[in-house]
Amino acid sequence: MEASPQHESQLMERFRKGDHLAFARVFKTFYNELCFFARKMIGDKEQSEDIVADTMSKLWKRHEYFNSLENVKAFLYIGVRNGCLDYLKTFKYRKQVDSTVLENEGAFSEDYLMASVIKIDLMKTIIAEIESLPDRQRAVFKLYYIDNFSIDQI
């Protein structure tokens, strides 16, 4: 969320006081990127959404303890990561899946978490820049870089 320090401060003050509209704003700010993050970890869209919703619920229950959006973001990413790991462990025991999924638990370390956050933030910036291009330039850019069309095809 790109907000001025004053706007963020006001939002967080309202959030700490239990303002439902402030929570809705925080939810909207982080929901899609957290779902993307969770889905990359566990590969299940619906379960990813459930994990994110559960983590958001935990955030709301602790709303009075957060002083900044960065604290909120860190809490949410760590909570979603932990929720995904719990799901994978439960899934392994319930379905007797290949243990290689959990052998890669190190891939969900703090370094992985930070790299994922940076990657998602970068993708949001790139998408915003692409969308700000004039219509024809945006169309050509997407055809070439996203759809892998050749220059002749475009």
Side-chain angles (χ1 to χ4, degrees), residues 98-130:
D98 185 359
S99 63
T100 58
V101 172
L102 291 176
E103 288 172 7
N104 292 327
E105 188 170 328
F108 305 130
S109 66
E110 294 299 320
D111 290 340
Y112 174 82
L113 179 64
M114 288 307 300
S116 295
V117 170
I118 291 168
K119 183 178 179 180
I120 290 169
D121 285 345
L122 180 60
M123 290 302 297
K124 287 188 331 188
T125 302
I126 291 169
I127 290 168
E129 289 300 319
I130 291 169

Side-chain angles (χ1 to χ4, degrees), residues 13-97:
E13 181 65 28
R14 291 177 30 232
F15 181 80
R16 274 192 306 279
K17 289 180 179 179
D19 183 327
H20 290 277
L21 292 176
F23 174 73
R25 178 71 190 258
V26 170
F27 184 94
K28 183 178 178 186
T29 298
F30 295 110
Y31 181 77
N32 288 333
E33 66 187 70
L34 289 167
C35 286
F36 175 78
F37 173 67
R39 189 168 184 192
K40 285 188 61 94
M41 286 184 70
I42 64 173
D44 183 313
K45 182 179 187 271
E46 291 174 6
Q47 189 62 43
S48 297
E49 291 170 353
D50 288 347
I51 290 169
V52 171
D54 183 55
T55 305
M56 287 288 191
S57 176
K58 291 174 184 175
L59 172 71
W60 182 242
K61 289 176 185 173
R62 295 170 179 85
H63 63 85
E64 68 273 4
Y65 300 111
F66 294 93
N67 295 317
S68 72
L69 281 177
E70 284 302 312
N71 294 135
V72 168
K73 186 176 187 176
F75 175 87
L76 290 171
Y77 271 92
I78 291 168
V80 168
R81 179 198 60 191
N82 292 343
C84 289
L85 289 172
D86 290 345
Y87 169 77
L88 290 172
K89 288 175 184 174
T90 302
F91 185 77
K92 177 186 176 210
Y93 295 122
R94 195 175 60 225
K95 298 289 186 179
Q96 298 300 315
V97 296

